[in-house]
Amino acid sequence: MKNGFIYTDAYLDYDYGPTHPLKIIRLKLTYELIRAYGLLDLPAVQTIIPRPAKEADLAIFHSRDYLNILKQANNGRVRGSAYSYGLGPGDNPIFPGLLDWSLLVTGATLQAVDFVARGEGEIAFNIAGGLHHAMRSRASGFCYVNDPVIGILKLLGQGKTVAYIDIDAHHADGVQAAFYGTNRVLTISLHETGYTLFPRTGFEYEIGEGEGEGYAVNLPFPPYTDDEVYVWAFEEIVPPLIHAFRPDVVLTQLGVDSFYNDPLTNLQLSMIGFEKVVRRIKELAPRWVALGGGGYDLSNVARAWTLAWAVMNGIELSEELPKSYVEIAAKVGIYEKELRVGPPPHSQSKEIRNEVGRIINYLKKTVFPKVGA
Ligand SMILES: [Zn+2]
């Protein structure tokens, strides 16, 4: 069985703007670190160059009106109504080629989905994907097109059951909204609580509606939650639900803005906790479509997704970063030389542990019986 890594340097043709926190260069750095460790030369690895999706692929989720606006915005300009679709200066800037960028990222996710669904391989990783905030008719949180939703819809169309696990620091609001009323997709989002972070949703009591009641799962963490409490909560909630739901495919969003030094968020994860979670997902996922996500410290992104790709391939990496990568990274002001840069020493407060324990118990009482866990 092969594992597919989806990547193209064509991502670098696009730019959210000089002051925007989402830097597309992070994808190139990740690719370079993966390559430098030799993780694209493994016999079981296939590198796949993505093709752009077609507009019709986007239309299985997004509205016609919204797609028309994105088409106009692709030239870098739109008429006045763009604001009502979430576009404009700020989080979702109108930059030249934004629809082309979205088509390319979504195409990469669809190729990852096809690779796994056709049985060409067990795992595919699209580091550019995971743009989980986009809504049917609205751009949000740096996301214009919701590639996870489109990937999941494609899998549903082939009769597959899908579990979605999202470990980005932000709530997976767009994906949750798309499947809130169905029991054909189990969505699980672990994130910093909406009391302190965008998009201000994802509370434990959001559990789905109608047939979907129990199939939307939210595990919100207080600011400063660290590896120990995070991994404990993941273990209490995620494996029992996945075992009960028995998905054909697990689709994950592996955002790394949950790290202690991420500039946009307040969680306290490190590479150690992230690695534990990724290892656990590998054990749980019969077929696995892995997507990227948030991550605003460039060095974290490259190191964490390289580690994730190593875990996917059952490879242990040396702590010392390869020299060829260190030289490339230095050109963009990154001077770290080690893979696992540790978390700052601190002890988790009792209040945080108690609050997370309360949420775990709440989910065990409400969603576990619905899903049969
Ligand atoms: Zn995020």
Side-chain angles (χ1 to χ4, degrees), residues 319-371:
E319 271 309 299
E320 197 183 329
L321 297 177
K323 271 208 177 63
S324 58
Y325 170 79
V326 171
E327 282 166 17
I328 291 169
K331 287 182 193 151
V332 288
I334 295 171
Y335 302 105
E336 276 154 356
K337 293 198 168 63
E338 283 170 33
L339 180 64
R340 294 178 186 78
V341 179
H346 75 294
S347 58
Q348 192 75 91
S349 79
K350 225 185 191 159
E351 287 76 15
I352 289 177
R353 185 173 285 277
N354 288 344
E355 169 63 0
V356 174
R358 180 191 70 72
I359 292 166
I360 290 171
N361 287 334
Y362 176 87
L363 293 174
K364 286 185 176 176
K365 282 201 201 99
T366 52
V367 304
F368 273 37
K370 296 278 183 192
V371 181

Side-chain angles (χ1 to χ4, degrees), residues 46-111:
Q46 185 175 338
T47 307
I48 301 167
I49 296 170
R51 286 184 305 270
K54 305 225 171 0
E55 267 181 60
D57 295 321
L58 272 43
I60 64 173
F61 175 57
H62 292 286
S63 71
R64 185 47 58 195
D65 287 1
Y66 177 57
L67 292 177
N68 284 336
I69 292 284
L70 290 185
K71 235 194 265 182
Q72 289 175 37
N74 203 43
N75 303 322
R77 292 188 304 274
V78 286
R79 274 166 270 165
S81 57
Y83 265 117
S84 60
Y85 294 91
L87 298 166
D91 281 4
N92 317 300
I94 296 168
F95 61 84
L98 82 79
L99 178 61
D100 299 328
W101 156 253
S102 303
L103 288 167
L104 190 56
V105 170
T106 306
T109 293
L110 288 174
Q111 262 160 298

Side-chain angles (χ1 to χ4, degrees), residues 132-133 168-171 197-198 253 255-258 265 293-296:
H132 59 173
H133 295 305
D168 193 278
H170 300 93
H171 176 227
L197 195 68
F198 176 90
Q253 200 268 24
V256 291
D257 45 8
S258 52
T265 65
Y296 306 100

